[in-house]
Each structure stands twice: as C-alpha cells, then as structure tokens.
Amino acid sequence: MTDPRQVSAERVEHGLHIHSPTYRLSLDDARPFARLSRPDGQLFSELFLAPSLHTTHGLDRTARLHPPAISQEDGAVTLRFLLEGGIWQHKTLVLRCDAHGIDSHVEVQGEGELTDVHLFGGHYNGQQRWGSGFFQSGAHFSSVFNPEPYQREQRTIPAEQSTAIDVMGTSLPGKAHWFYSCTVGVRLSSGRDRAQRRTRRRSGRCA
C-alpha cells in the first residue's frame, strides 16, 4: 500500500502532477507556470518557472523552458527545469517537493557579477502569442511573511503589497529596514489562508 505521507509524481497528458498530503503542484507543458494548490484544488499561486539572474554584463532572460527531469527519493520528488536563451551558459531551476513544502533554487554556469535575481518571475520571450517582457507569478493568497526587520515591525503584509529582502536598509524614507543574511533559496509551505515563504542559509535553514 502506498504511504499517504509520501510525495508522488504523476504524468498526465501534456503535463505533470505532484501530489503530497498538504498540497498539489500541477504543470502544463505548454505554459511556463506551475499551479500550487491544496489537495482539494483550492489555488494558492501560479508560479512562474523562468527566473532571471542579471549581471553587470546584461539582463538575463529565458527563451525556452524544457519539461522537467524528475528524480525521486525517500519522501521527496525533485524537478530540474533546463532553461535556454539567457546570458548564462547553463541555467537550471530546481524544485524539491517534500510532504511539507517546496524548496527552490537556481543553478547557473558562466561568468558575471550578479546584480538582480528574480525567483518565480523573470524576463521571458518563449511564447510568441504572449509577447516578451517581465513575467511574474500570480498570487491567490491574502498575505506574505517577510523575515527582514522593518521599522514598523510588521511581519505579514497584504499579498498585493511589495516587499524586499536586501542589504540596503537605512533610516531614509522608503528604506527603513535592515539587512537579512538568509537570502539563498525559497521555501513555499501550504496553509489555509496564506502561503508562507522561508529562506535557507548556505549551510542550513534559518529559524
């Protein structure tokens, strides 16, 4: 009998479904998005799968998103998406899906000093009928969590309000926040009324 706590991958016509006890991730081969929802189908977010990692040499983009390579291990499914058309020799988006959430990171090969990194958003020209430009994820949740200290000490904000994690905080207007060092990787966790985001250190997860 299949362990209900495990995560499984199911190939469907023109797509892929990832099933877990707490969420479902649905991919359509014709769209650069993944639909993150509850097991009962309630939609959390439409995640854009073509990140951009800009450097001092220029802006990064994606012209082609390949279907993911799938690997399974005890309690997790890992998806590796090869992306083509940008400034990097090789660029791969990695999603590791376990029973509690999704860890995401991007692997690149090439040279350049990073200036801006966009995860679950980016410059894309892979579909002629959609045009080209900056694409972003769709939010179907009410609030987000930002661990970076802010002057107003507001830990959750409305999903439609912008926020930042950076090292540029000062007392100047619009920059009244402080730096937060855990900026490598993103974790998406399921919840009834919110989608929480947590980040990881290079050598472990932040508290």
PDB file of all heavy atoms in Angstrom, residues 133-148:
ATOM      1  N   GLY A 133       8.851  40.253 -22.305  1.00  0.00           N
ATOM      2  CA  GLY A 133       8.939  41.215 -21.219  1.00  0.00           C
ATOM      3  C   GLY A 133       9.063  40.497 -19.894  1.00  0.00           C
ATOM      4  O   GLY A 133       9.452  39.326 -19.838  1.00  0.00           O
ATOM      5  N   PHE A 134       8.737  41.216 -18.820  1.00  0.00           N
ATOM      6  CA  PHE A 134       8.850  40.635 -17.486  1.00  0.00           C
ATOM      7  C   PHE A 134       7.544  39.933 -17.112  1.00  0.00           C
ATOM      8  O   PHE A 134       6.473  40.533 -17.154  1.00  0.00           O
ATOM      9  CB  PHE A 134       9.171  41.716 -16.450  1.00  0.00           C
ATOM     10  CG  PHE A 134       9.479  41.160 -15.093  1.00  0.00           C
ATOM     11  CD1 PHE A 134      10.762  40.730 -14.794  1.00  0.00           C
ATOM     12  CD2 PHE A 134       8.495  41.051 -14.127  1.00  0.00           C
ATOM     13  CE1 PHE A 134      11.050  40.197 -13.546  1.00  0.00           C
ATOM     14  CE2 PHE A 134       8.778  40.530 -12.882  1.00  0.00           C
ATOM     15  CZ  PHE A 134      10.064  40.103 -12.585  1.00  0.00           C
ATOM     16  N   PHE A 135       7.657  38.666 -16.746  1.00  0.00           N
ATOM     17  CA  PHE A 135       6.512  37.858 -16.316  1.00  0.00           C
ATOM     18  C   PHE A 135       6.626  37.631 -14.809  1.00  0.00           C
ATOM     19  O   PHE A 135       7.727  37.539 -14.264  1.00  0.00           O
ATOM     20  CB  PHE A 135       6.487  36.511 -17.032  1.00  0.00           C
ATOM     21  CG  PHE A 135       6.076  36.592 -18.482  1.00  0.00           C
ATOM     22  CD1 PHE A 135       6.880  37.229 -19.418  1.00  0.00           C
ATOM     23  CD2 PHE A 135       4.888  36.018 -18.915  1.00  0.00           C
ATOM     24  CE1 PHE A 135       6.505  37.307 -20.756  1.00  0.00           C
ATOM     25  CE2 PHE A 135       4.504  36.076 -20.245  1.00  0.00           C
ATOM     26  CZ  PHE A 135       5.311  36.728 -21.169  1.00  0.00           C
ATOM     27  N   GLN A 136       5.495  37.503 -14.142  1.00  0.00           N
ATOM     28  CA  GLN A 136       5.506  37.291 -12.710  1.00  0.00           C
ATOM     29  C   GLN A 136       4.500  36.222 -12.311  1.00  0.00           C
ATOM     30  O   GLN A 136       3.617  35.852 -13.095  1.00  0.00           O
ATOM     31  CB  GLN A 136       5.209  38.594 -11.969  1.00  0.00           C
ATOM     32  CG  GLN A 136       3.904  39.256 -12.348  1.00  0.00           C
ATOM     33  CD  GLN A 136       3.786  40.650 -11.741  1.00  0.00           C
ATOM     34  OE1 GLN A 136       4.587  41.070 -10.898  1.00  0.00           O
ATOM     35  NE2 GLN A 136       2.784  41.398 -12.163  1.00  0.00           N
ATOM     36  N   SER A 137       4.631  35.755 -11.082  1.00  0.00           N
ATOM     37  CA  SER A 137       3.714  34.749 -10.562  1.00  0.00           C
ATOM     38  C   SER A 137       2.390  35.383 -10.168  1.00  0.00           C
ATOM     39  O   SER A 137       2.309  36.591  -9.921  1.00  0.00           O
ATOM     40  CB  SER A 137       4.332  34.054  -9.345  1.00  0.00           C
ATOM     41  OG  SER A 137       5.498  33.338  -9.696  1.00  0.00           O
ATOM     42  N   GLY A 138       1.357  34.540 -10.103  1.00  0.00           N
ATOM     43  CA  GLY A 138       0.055  35.005  -9.662  1.00  0.00           C
ATOM     44  C   GLY A 138      -0.218  34.580  -8.233  1.00  0.00           C
ATOM     45  O   GLY A 138       0.049  33.438  -7.855  1.00  0.00           O
ATOM     46  N   ALA A 139      -0.710  35.511  -7.413  1.00  0.00           N
ATOM     47  CA  ALA A 139      -0.983  35.233  -6.000  1.00  0.00           C
ATOM     48  C   ALA A 139      -2.475  35.054  -5.771  1.00  0.00           C
ATOM     49  O   ALA A 139      -3.274  35.895  -6.172  1.00  0.00           O
ATOM     50  CB  ALA A 139      -0.461  36.374  -5.134  1.00  0.00           C
ATOM     51  N   HIS A 140      -2.838  33.964  -5.127  1.00  0.00           N
ATOM     52  CA  HIS A 140      -4.221  33.710  -4.748  1.00  0.00           C
ATOM     53  C   HIS A 140      -4.327  33.520  -3.242  1.00  0.00           C
ATOM     54  O   HIS A 140      -5.207  32.819  -2.761  1.00  0.00           O
ATOM     55  CB  HIS A 140      -4.741  32.474  -5.493  1.00  0.00           C
ATOM     56  CG  HIS A 140      -4.754  32.643  -6.980  1.00  0.00           C
ATOM     57  ND1 HIS A 140      -5.867  33.057  -7.679  1.00  0.00           N
ATOM     58  CD2 HIS A 140      -3.766  32.474  -7.911  1.00  0.00           C
ATOM     59  CE1 HIS A 140      -5.582  33.115  -8.973  1.00  0.00           C
ATOM     60  NE2 HIS A 140      -4.317  32.768  -9.134  1.00  0.00           N
ATOM     61  N   PHE A 141      -3.404  34.149  -2.505  1.00  0.00           N
ATOM     62  CA  PHE A 141      -3.434  34.116  -1.043  1.00  0.00           C
ATOM     63  C   PHE A 141      -3.490  35.551  -0.545  1.00  0.00           C
ATOM     64  O   PHE A 141      -3.288  36.503  -1.295  1.00  0.00           O
ATOM     65  CB  PHE A 141      -2.199  33.401  -0.484  1.00  0.00           C
ATOM     66  CG  PHE A 141      -0.902  33.790  -1.151  1.00  0.00           C
ATOM     67  CD1 PHE A 141      -0.188  34.901  -0.741  1.00  0.00           C
ATOM     68  CD2 PHE A 141      -0.405  33.029  -2.202  1.00  0.00           C
ATOM     69  CE1 PHE A 141       0.995  35.263  -1.356  1.00  0.00           C
ATOM     70  CE2 PHE A 141       0.792  33.375  -2.829  1.00  0.00           C
ATOM     71  CZ  PHE A 141       1.489  34.499  -2.401  1.00  0.00           C
ATOM     72  N   SER A 142      -3.779  35.718   0.725  1.00  0.00           N
ATOM     73  CA  SER A 142      -4.080  37.052   1.250  1.00  0.00           C
ATOM     74  C   SER A 142      -2.885  37.798   1.801  1.00  0.00           C
ATOM     75  O   SER A 142      -2.867  39.029   1.805  1.00  0.00           O
ATOM     76  CB  SER A 142      -5.159  36.945   2.340  1.00  0.00           C
ATOM     77  OG  SER A 142      -4.692  36.126   3.399  1.00  0.00           O
ATOM     78  N   SER A 143      -1.856  37.095   2.297  1.00  0.00           N
ATOM     79  CA  SER A 143      -0.739  37.784   2.930  1.00  0.00           C
ATOM     80  C   SER A 143       0.560  37.017   2.735  1.00  0.00           C
ATOM     81  O   SER A 143       0.543  35.824   2.396  1.00  0.00           O
ATOM     82  CB  SER A 143      -1.007  37.979   4.431  1.00  0.00           C
ATOM     83  OG  SER A 143      -1.140  36.726   5.072  1.00  0.00           O
ATOM     84  N   VAL A 144       1.690  37.705   2.948  1.00  0.00           N
ATOM     85  CA  VAL A 144       3.019  37.098   2.861  1.00  0.00           C
ATOM     86  C   VAL A 144       3.805  37.452   4.117  1.00  0.00           C
ATOM     87  O   VAL A 144       3.500  38.429   4.814  1.00  0.00           O
ATOM     88  CB  VAL A 144       3.790  37.557   1.600  1.00  0.00           C
ATOM     89  CG1 VAL A 144       3.099  37.097   0.351  1.00  0.00           C
ATOM     90  CG2 VAL A 144       3.970  39.079   1.597  1.00  0.00           C
ATOM     91  N   PHE A 145       4.841  36.662   4.386  1.00  0.00           N
ATOM     92  CA  PHE A 145       5.708  36.863   5.552  1.00  0.00           C
ATOM     93  C   PHE A 145       7.087  37.257   5.078  1.00  0.00           C
ATOM     94  O   PHE A 145       7.659  36.614   4.200  1.00  0.00           O
ATOM     95  CB  PHE A 145       5.779  35.583   6.383  1.00  0.00           C
ATOM     96  CG  PHE A 145       6.870  35.588   7.417  1.00  0.00           C
ATOM     97  CD1 PHE A 145       6.753  36.366   8.558  1.00  0.00           C
ATOM     98  CD2 PHE A 145       8.005  34.821   7.246  1.00  0.00           C
ATOM     99  CE1 PHE A 145       7.764  36.380   9.510  1.00  0.00           C
ATOM    100  CE2 PHE A 145       9.019  34.825   8.187  1.00  0.00           C
ATOM    101  CZ  PHE A 145       8.891  35.603   9.328  1.00  0.00           C
ATOM    102  N   ASN A 146       7.637  38.338   5.645  1.00  0.00           N
ATOM    103  CA  ASN A 146       8.990  38.783   5.341  1.00  0.00           C
ATOM    104  C   ASN A 146       9.792  38.793   6.633  1.00  0.00           C
ATOM    105  O   ASN A 146       9.457  39.515   7.576  1.00  0.00           O
ATOM    106  CB  ASN A 146       8.966  40.191   4.723  1.00  0.00           C
ATOM    107  CG  ASN A 146      10.338  40.614   4.225  1.00  0.00           C
ATOM    108  OD1 ASN A 146      11.366  40.090   4.650  1.00  0.00           O
ATOM    109  ND2 ASN A 146      10.358  41.561   3.313  1.00  0.00           N
ATOM    110  N   PRO A 147      10.885  37.989   6.727  1.00  0.00           N
ATOM    111  CA  PRO A 147      11.650  37.895   7.974  1.00  0.00           C
ATOM    112  C   PRO A 147      12.581  39.083   8.212  1.00  0.00           C
ATOM    113  O   PRO A 147      13.151  39.197   9.299  1.00  0.00           O
ATOM    114  CB  PRO A 147      12.448  36.604   7.785  1.00  0.00           C
ATOM    115  CG  PRO A 147      12.651  36.525   6.306  1.00  0.00           C
ATOM    116  CD  PRO A 147      11.387  37.075   5.690  1.00  0.00           C
ATOM    117  N   GLU A 148      12.769  39.946   7.224  1.00  0.00           N
ATOM    118  CA  GLU A 148      13.697  41.060   7.398  1.00  0.00           C
ATOM    119  C   GLU A 148      13.131  42.087   8.385  1.00  0.00           C
ATOM    120  O   GLU A 148      11.966  42.473   8.270  1.00  0.00           O
ATOM    121  CB  GLU A 148      13.968  41.735   6.044  1.00  0.00           C
ATOM    122  CG  GLU A 148      14.965  42.879   6.143  1.00  0.00           C
ATOM    123  CD  GLU A 148      15.448  43.324   4.778  1.00  0.00           C
ATOM    124  OE1 GLU A 148      16.245  42.591   4.178  1.00  0.00           O
ATOM    125  OE2 GLU A 148      15.043  44.398   4.322  1.00  0.00           O
TER     126      GLU A 148
END
